[in-house]
Amino acid sequence: MKIGIVCYPTFGGSGVIATELGLGLADRGHDVHFITYKRPVRLTAFHPNVYFHEVTAMEYPLFEYTPYETALASKIVDVVRFEKIDILHVHYAIPHAAVAFMTKEILKTHGIQLPVITTLHGTDITLVGTDASFAPVVAFSINASDGVTAVSEQLKKETLDTFKIIKDIRVIYNFIDFSRFRKTNKDHFRKAIAPEGEKILVHISNFRKVKRVQDVIHVFELIRKEVNAKLLLIGDGPERKQMEDLCRSMHLCDEIRFLGKQEAVEELLAIADLFILPSENESFGLAALEAMACEVPVISSNAGGLPEVNIDGVTGYMCNVGDIEMMAQKSIELLQDEVSLNIFRKNAFLQAKRFDILEILPQYESYYLEIIEKVIKNG
Ligand code: GMT
């Protein structure tokens, strides 16, 4: 197949999944065309089946807001017409599903029927999509897609509860590439970060409010009263400054390291004892899955789709959003019991195996074929 992929090319989970999906499909012989405003961060090396089309919008003094949607639609039309794309897969509904609709309509005037799939990732529904400034367009453009997928059962449910959706939504989970995410020996890192054999806790996110990074810090403070530990905060975003200030005011700067955005997170997960994800909402929790693949148990909230990933009492523990006492208590129990910790590590790995890219990728492939067939049949 010739597949067009539209996504946000930055560090967010939707862009990561879109890029890994495209690369996986390219490995299986498909031609994959990424159409994005910047080279996706995980698209680093040359691949004979991968193409990158950069979207650039003309600057003009009249534009207070650069018309990204118009530039993206024009680029898609161009790529589809001249590369003979069989299917377009857009990630994150806003604004990509609406742009895909516009593109479909333009292509019809050229006698081309373009099958379109939209993947809902989370905040495009739960946080941003419901805002009155976007909601009617989100609902319309989901319904206008030929195929719709959601990354968890919970996100599917929330989409159906929130909007009047007439389309069937297929759940296709986030996935993990075990050739990259696996436990490796990085003892030299461990010694550098925890020279006195301290336990290592890790949190990775884009430091947005929805991630509740302050809870990670408060949980860590409680853990430190019982267990000698260090905390690595990985990623960057709008809340980082406040979190640094919080650490300073709590006199925890020597125990907490802000590492910023990191490419090789698997090397840091390799030395972690626990992963903390206390999000207010989380449609799936790709970061937790990456930790689990590296045999790191997860202490998370029970928000959104997290219960479909983290199994309470098996691969980690789940607590109510904001229940920092319980999160700390469960962390302490595990960190003080090496036998249980090792069992949880193995369980986390086994659960992550359910989301192996080798299992999930064929689900996308057959969904593409199903949607192409449907569009051809319906003319
Ligand atoms: O806020 C983020 O975590 C980034 C966001 C995105 O769209 O880039 O991630 C969402 O999509 C990921 C991939 O499908 C999911 O694993 C994350 O759970 C989801 N984030 C939220 O729902 C908050």
Side-chain angles (χ1 to χ4, degrees), residues 176 178 181-183 288-297 308-311 314-316 341-356 359:
I176 191 90
F178 279 89
F181 285 92
R182 58 180 198 275
K183 188 160 177 64
L289 177 61
E290 291 178 343
M292 287 160 65
C294 297
E295 300 179 28
V296 186
E308 291 167 63
V309 183
N310 188 18
I311 307 172
V314 178
T315 62
L341 186 60
N342 278 328
I343 293 170
F344 275 62
R345 278 184 182 281
K346 297 291 169 229
N347 293 345
F349 173 77
L350 288 175
Q351 166 71 350
K353 272 281 180 197
R354 286 187 52 218
F355 304 97
D356 192 328
E359 300 286 331

Side-chain angles (χ1 to χ4, degrees), residues 52-66:
F52 167 52
H53 308 269
E54 188 166 320
V55 179
T56 42
M58 183 188 163
E59 301 281 338
Y60 189 66
L62 188 67
F63 302 149
E64 196 175 333
Y65 306 103
T66 311

